[in-house]
Amino acid sequence: MFGFRASIETGGDADKKNMGAVADHPNFFVSDDTKALPEITGDEYEQLGDGLLNKGKLYLAYIQYEKSLKLKPENIRVEYKKGLALLLAEKNDDAIRQFEMVLKKDPKFDLAYEGLGRAYFQNKDFLQAERNFQKAVGLNHKLWKSYNYLGNIYDQKQDYEKAILEYTSAISIKPDQGFVYNNLGVSCLLAGHNQAAIDAFGKAIEKTTAKAGSSTIWL
């Protein structure tokens, strides 16, 4: 309704179902082939997880992060990445619990607040989402995705002027994302700023065309 376009790609329904199995049965995907792998370090397991996450192989990424933590249980960065895998699989309640665990260990982990915001947003709990996105940008003013989500929340509240400010903040940090310009254009149009809307839509087309063919997954 307000021009927000999802910018996250996952492995599809199969990944979401598999993530459900992971949440309930952590050893579900341990196979004989997996057991036969040569021993590698916790950091290497994390790197494997990152590569799988970027390819949308969410449950496999989660398993690699679990293995990493068995070797380096103090690695809070990997705990966060487990939450991110759950988030992308839309296992929102599990993601919320994971991010909250991260924040108990490090109350200033800015990306965990952003992750909480995104999980609550996907659960349509926009009040909690807003609170967590505000905490995220309060700790780190460079979190452009948090500003974009805040813009979406204010659009839903029909507070278009605030939405414009948030989208503008996102663009100032990450000016190559066409969908954020599109969001800005919709807010400007609904706020009655017609020329600004035209300019934003033009930028959206320009940036989207420039990124045509890109296979990037925005995490």
Side-chain angles (χ1 to χ4, degrees):
M1 178 179 180
F2 300 108
F4 175 66
R5 187 169 66 205
S7 59
I8 297 169
E9 298 176 13
T10 71
D13 292 338
D15 278 303
K16 295 172 187 176
K17 291 177 182 177
N18 286 331
M19 284 304 295
V22 168
D24 296 333
H25 305 286
N27 296 319
F28 186 82
F29 294 102
V30 177
S31 66
D32 291 337
D33 290 339
T34 302
K35 292 176 183 176
L37 287 172
E39 289 189 12
I40 58 177
T41 68
D43 289 340
E44 288 170 334
Y45 275 125
E46 180 184 0
Q47 291 170 9
L48 283 172
D50 292 347
L52 290 163
L53 194 72
N54 284 326
K55 293 177 180 177
K57 306 295 184 181
L58 305 177
Y59 68 92
L60 291 176
Y62 186 97
I63 292 298
Q64 302 310 311
Y65 294 143
E66 286 274 87
K67 292 177 180 179
S68 176
L69 285 166
K70 285 180 181 178
L71 296 174
K72 295 182 68 176
E74 76 287 352
N75 193 335
I76 194 170
R77 181 182 64 248
V78 178
E79 293 282 10
Y80 160 76
K81 291 177 180 180
K82 282 177 59 180
L84 187 58
L86 291 165
L87 172 73
L88 295 176
E90 298 184 14
K91 300 292 294 181
N92 299 320
D93 293 338
D94 292 325
I96 287 168
R97 285 190 286 271
Q98 184 67 27
F99 291 133
E100 285 178 341
M101 184 180 70
V102 170
L103 288 167
K104 283 181 181 178
K105 296 180 179 180
D106 182 0
K108 293 187 177 181
F109 200 116
D110 50 356
L111 286 173
Y113 282 114
E114 182 175 83
L116 273 177
R118 291 170 66 176
Y120 279 119
F121 188 94
Q122 289 180 176
N123 268 349
K124 301 188 185 305
D125 186 343
F126 300 119
L127 179 60
Q128 286 293 338
E130 180 182 358
R131 287 173 177 170
N132 281 284
F133 287 132
Q134 291 285 10
K135 289 177 181 177
V137 298
L139 289 167
N140 184 348
H141 297 299
K142 298 297 184 181
L143 296 180
W144 68 273
K145 286 188 284 290
S146 287
Y147 288 117
N148 180 65
Y149 276 107
L150 284 168
N152 274 250
I153 291 168
Y154 296 137
D155 271 339
Q156 293 191 45
K157 292 181 177 182
Q158 299 184 6
D159 191 343
Y160 303 122
E161 298 295 344
K162 286 185 75 171
I164 289 168
L165 290 175
E166 300 298 344
Y167 293 135
T168 301
S169 294
I171 288 168
S172 70
I173 300 162
K174 192 74 171 174
D176 61 342
Q177 301 300 323
F179 77 97
V180 184
Y181 283 100
N182 181 71
N183 293 346
L184 175 61
V186 173
S187 296
C188 288
L189 188 63
L190 293 171
H193 306 311
N194 295 335
Q195 186 56 54
I198 293 169
D199 293 342
F201 288 136
K203 281 286 188 181
I205 294 170
E206 174 189 326
K207 301 297 182 181
T208 301
T209 301
K211 290 177 71 70
S214 172
S215 59
T216 301
I217 295 177
W218 300 322
L219 303 177

